[in-house]
């Protein structure tokens, strides 16, 4: 049984050399730095953020994600366990809008790229989402994500985390310059695994 789309308890997950934790006010400077990256702004920030003045973008992005757990979405900071440095973010939203399903979003900072960190974080979040509610997970069956066909790096991340390509959504997204882009749709089921397998990560309250 999966959790309903009501308030979620805050969770911190440690696995695969990463720490996934709820975002905090203290993350704003690191978020501001991340939002200076053109790819994050283009593909992952959202119109409310890209439409804000540069000095206000971090606050516009962070504010709804600080309270999202109360409305049934889970957004994690991806951090280095040693220094708690913000390396990226993983979001799980639209939980049970379709029964036992949710949508995943992610980005990592430029400095964190090239280390398979995004795929590891995405896999960790997916394993938590699939874990039974009785074990601290969400009890979901299917997770989906999408990305621009042009964003080949995101496609590698999705595949590396066990999200299979299911098709192409034509003219699915309009970027900040008004250009329409085809998007790939990927999905992972609870029974799917990465090649290396491994147990689901433990969730700490």
């Amino acid at each position: 049984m999966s959790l309903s789309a009501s308030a979620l308890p805050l969770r911190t997950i440690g696995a695969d050399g990463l720490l996934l934790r709820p975002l905090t006010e203290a993350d704003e400077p690191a978020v501001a730095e991340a939002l200076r990256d053109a790819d994050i702004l283009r593909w992952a920030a959202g119109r409310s953020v890209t439409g804000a003045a540069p000095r206000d973008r971090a606050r516009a992005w962070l504010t709804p994600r600080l309270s999202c757990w109360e409305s049934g979405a889970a957004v994690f900071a991806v951090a280095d366990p040693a220094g708690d440095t913000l390396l990226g973010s993983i979001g799980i939203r639209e939980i049970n809008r379709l029964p036992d399903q949710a949508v995943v979003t992610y980005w990592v900072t430029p400095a964190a790229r090239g280390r398979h960190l995004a795929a590891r974080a995405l896999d960790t979040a997916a394993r938590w989402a699939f874990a039974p509610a009785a074990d601290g997970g969400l009890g979901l069956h299917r997770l989906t994500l999408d990305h621009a066909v042009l964003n080949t790096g995101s496609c590698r991340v999705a595949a590396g985390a066990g999200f299979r390509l299911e098709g192409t959504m034509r003219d699915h997204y309009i970027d900040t310059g008004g250009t329409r882009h085809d998007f790939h749709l990927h999905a992972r089921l609870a029974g799917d695994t990465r090649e290396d397998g491994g147990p689901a990560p433990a969730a700490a309250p």
Side-chain angles (χ1 to χ4, degrees):
M1 179 182 295
S2 61
L3 293 178
S4 61
S6 56
L8 296 177
L10 296 176
R11 294 288 179 183
T12 296
I13 308 167
D16 209 0
L18 296 172
L19 180 68
L20 272 60
R21 59 162 176 79
L23 290 151
T24 71
E25 295 277 1
D27 291 316
E28 185 171 349
V31 170
E33 181 63 29
L35 290 176
R36 294 188 178 97
D37 178 68
D39 286 337
I40 292 176
L41 272 180
R42 186 181 192 188
W43 303 123
R47 289 186 174 274
S48 64
V49 174
T50 57
R55 67 179 181 277
D56 298 327
R57 284 174 178 166
R59 174 52 48 181
W61 186 89
L62 187 60
T63 296
R65 289 162 178 84
L66 292 174
S67 59
C68 69
W69 295 77
E70 299 172 6
S71 56
V75 179
F76 295 97
V78 179
D80 177 357
D84 200 29
T85 303
L86 183 75
L87 303 173
S89 179
I90 297 276
I92 303 176
R93 58 182 175 79
E94 298 183 32
I95 297 170
N96 286 312
R97 183 180 67 83
L98 297 174
D100 301 327
Q101 299 189 42
V103 176
V104 183
T105 60
Y106 55 89
W107 55 261
V108 294
T109 63
R113 294 171 189 161
R115 293 185 274 159
H116 305 291
L117 183 146
R120 286 156 47 208
L122 180 56
D123 177 66
T124 296
R127 290 172 184 269
W128 171 71
F130 291 140
D135 294 335
L138 298 178
L140 298 177
H141 177 70
R142 174 180 163 91
L143 296 174
T144 62
L145 64 85
D146 56 59
H147 65 81
V149 173
L150 291 177
N151 191 352
T152 56
S154 191
C155 199
R156 289 192 296 271
V157 168
F163 283 73
R164 300 179 188 180
L165 179 62
E166 292 194 337
T168 300
M169 301 183 290
R170 298 178 299 156
D171 283 356
H172 178 70
Y173 179 80
I174 303 176
D175 68 18
T176 53
T179 302
R180 294 183 182 274
H181 294 274
D182 292 350
F183 262 48
H184 277 163
L185 174 67
H186 293 253
R188 176 170 163 176
L189 304 183
D192 296 339
T193 60
R194 293 193 318 186
E195 291 183 1
D196 58 358

